[in-house]
Amino acid sequence: GAVVSQHPSRVICKSGTSVKIECRSLDFQATTMFWYRQFPKKSLMLMATSNEGSKATYEQGVEKDKFLINHASLTLSTLTVTSAHPEDSSFYICSASGGQGHYYEQYFGPGTRLTVT
Amino acid sequence: GQQLNQSPQSMFIQEGEDVSMNCTSSSIFNTWLWYKQEPGEGPVLLIALYKAGELTSNGRLTAQFGITRKDSFLNISASIPSDVGIYFCAGLLSNFGNEKLTFGTGTRLTIIP
């Protein structure tokens, strides 16, 4: 149990376009989902926390209008990178809590590599 | 944001050797988690620790929650090639409605043939 999927796994887009990344908890209902960004050879940096049916809470320095998060159900959250630019290229990882174990243990998706040309 | 200090930053060892890495913080946590990440993948939870002083094993992995609640270590015994990856510690000060993880800087493990 506690499997999280992400789609797509890789995406290449042109500068100025928008990209949507989906995060799904496959075998549990996720009370909370988290979105992280990871630069090469660096640790994970939390971008935002979202609870189903409510607005996401963004970390300091993360532009909420650029990184739109929707958490429409207990098994699905989406991150939309709007008007993407090359500096948005990164590895985006979601996680979900509410699975087996303690309620706050986070289970991670496989990540989405975004390349903006 | 805040990050935990992990050491060493990288390790180059031979197969069969034991591995030890640790994580320290200037603030306390009441849960410590250890994750492993392979290239191009998301982190996978290895061990979770919930009480100060707790020592927990998962196969060849052993982790301890420091008594001061500001540190944790992870040991891997008799390393094998599939242990290669980046190991992250993560601390949590769980307040209901605010379960954010603070991640360590990572320890990259390489096994020399």
Side-chain angles (χ1 to χ4, degrees):
Chain A
V3 179
V4 177
S5 71
Q6 270 183 253
H7 177 79
S9 57
R10 289 178 176 270
V11 57
I12 300 172
C13 71
K14 290 189 176 179
S15 190
T17 61
S18 295
V19 174
K20 181 186 283 189
I21 303 169
E22 290 187 351
C23 177
R24 293 181 186 272
S25 56
L26 298 185
D27 52 3
F28 67 101
Q29 292 188 324
T31 50
T32 307
M33 286 185 166
F34 304 83
W35 287 95
Y36 294 83
R37 184 172 181 178
Q38 187 177 32
F39 291 103
K41 298 188 179 182
K42 296 293 184 183
S43 189
L44 285 76
M45 298 302 295
L46 180 65
M47 298 173 66
T49 303
S50 74
N51 293 294
E52 182 261 342
S54 59
K55 286 185 180 179
T57 302
Y58 289 81
E59 294 300 296
Q60 195 170 13
V62 177
E63 298 176 61
K64 59 181 68 175
D65 294 332
K66 180 162 189 63
F67 299 100
L68 300 178
I69 291 172
N70 183 277
H71 193 159
S73 76
L74 283 171
T75 60
L76 173 64
S77 176
T78 61
L79 168 69
T80 302
V81 182
T82 62
S83 187
H85 290 283
E87 58 266 28
D88 299 324
S89 299
S90 193
F91 194 50
Y92 292 88
I93 311 175
C94 72
S95 71
S97 60
Q100 63 190 28
H102 288 224
Y103 73 94
Y104 46 75
E105 286 177 8
Q106 293 183 29
Y107 296 88
F108 286 83
T112 296
R113 182 158 305 283
L114 170 64
T115 303
V116 184
T117 60
Chain B
Q2 179 191 3
Q3 282 193 331
L4 305 175
N5 292 317
Q6 254 181 273
S7 65
Q9 201 170 28
S10 59
M11 302 182 75
F12 296 84
I13 63 165
Q14 291 192 318
E15 184 178 349
E17 285 186 39
D18 295 342
V19 172
S20 185
M21 60 189 78
N22 65 59
C23 195
T24 58
S25 169
S26 56
S27 53
I28 62 171
F29 292 101
N30 53 28
T31 298
W32 284 91
L33 305 169
W34 283 92
Y35 289 88
K36 179 190 175 188
Q37 186 179 27
E38 297 190 20
E41 298 290 330
V44 174
L45 182 63
L46 300 174
I47 290 182
L49 302 158
Y50 306 110
K51 289 196 308 187
E54 180 182 354
L55 183 71
T56 297
S57 293
N58 177 8
R60 293 179 296 108
L61 277 62
T62 302
Q64 183 156 33
F65 190 149
I67 198 73
T68 65
R69 296 169 63 193
K70 292 184 178 181
D71 62 338
S72 177
F73 73 73
L74 174 70
N75 288 342
I76 305 173
S77 62
S79 58
I80 60 177
S82 61
D83 291 334
V84 166
I86 304 175
Y87 292 80
F88 290 103
C89 62
L92 175 71
L93 187 64
S94 54
N95 299 311
F96 287 98
N98 183 22
E99 290 82 26
K100 294 194 295 187
L101 290 179
T102 300
F103 275 86
T105 46
T107 295
R108 183 181 296 271
L109 180 62
T110 302
I111 295 185
I112 305 166

